[in-house]
Amino acid sequence: MTETLSLSESATLTGERADLLRTLNKHRHFLRFTTRDLTDEQAGLRTTVSALCLGGLVKHVAAVERVWVDFILDGPSAMPDFSAMAEGDVAERADEFRLLPGETLAGVLAEYAAVARRTDELIAALPDLDAAQPLPEAPWFESGARWSARQVLLHIIAETAQHAGHADIIRESLDGAKTMG
């Protein structure tokens, strides 16, 4: 029996795409679940030696997913020029991990949901998961490497899962609540 994943009333996926999106959605759920019943103040608290907070993690994961989906569509031009990053760019990136004044947990969760919908729709509609783009020049990428849409989606899954784990530790440090167990 083939299990299907419904993205909307008009699109039902099976096979590899359904498996990939089901896995991504599972880790998205774990990340979002760590924020249940929190106030904006709690979502912005650092509870470990790390600079991370729950609201900032959701905001960061949404930003990462957005830029990688842009990469699938537009190639390396969708990414920042890592070789030209100035001090202000580094500070702006650090703000991605914090819930800033005026930002709310509900707002970052809504943005994350919008990013997730866009990703899911693109993966459902993309003609070829093997379509590849050259990676931008950066010290952490192999020179001349290309990533397929599939590799990008696997990277988004790994990033989401990693940060869902961070979020679980932060939440447990905050009030003892856990994602599982």
Side-chain angles (χ1 to χ4, degrees), residues 36-131:
R36 70 195 177 283
D37 303 323
L38 293 181
T39 65
D40 293 337
E41 181 183 0
Q42 290 171 311
L45 289 176
R46 292 176 49 196
T47 63
T48 67
V49 297
S50 167
L52 302 175
C53 68
L54 292 170
L57 275 173
V58 172
K59 191 168 99 172
H60 168 71
V61 171
V64 166
E65 185 169 325
R66 182 184 316 101
V67 78
W68 278 109
V69 168
D70 289 346
F71 171 83
I72 290 172
L73 295 168
D74 301 324
S77 67
M79 301 290 232
D81 182 353
F82 299 109
S83 64
M85 289 185 83
E87 195 173 308
D89 298 318
V90 174
E92 186 177 317
R93 179 150 167 81
D95 284 347
E96 193 176 277
F97 290 93
R98 293 191 280 273
L99 202 55
L100 300 175
E103 293 179 329
T104 65
L105 179 58
V108 297
L109 286 167
E111 176 60 21
Y112 187 35
V115 168
R117 273 191 305 279
R118 177 178 176 238
T119 301
D120 292 355
E121 289 168 2
L122 173 68
I123 297 306
L126 204 62
D128 184 5
L129 291 178
D130 290 323

Side-chain angles (χ1 to χ4, degrees), residues 165-177:
H166 294 148
D168 199 35
I169 291 168
I170 292 168
R171 179 62 191 257
E172 189 173 1
S173 297
L174 177 67
D175 64 5

Side-chain angles (χ1 to χ4, degrees), residues 140-151:
W140 48 87
F141 293 134
E142 180 184 340
S143 183
R146 298 175 64 83
W147 275 14
S148 67
R150 178 182 298 101
Q151 286 171 294

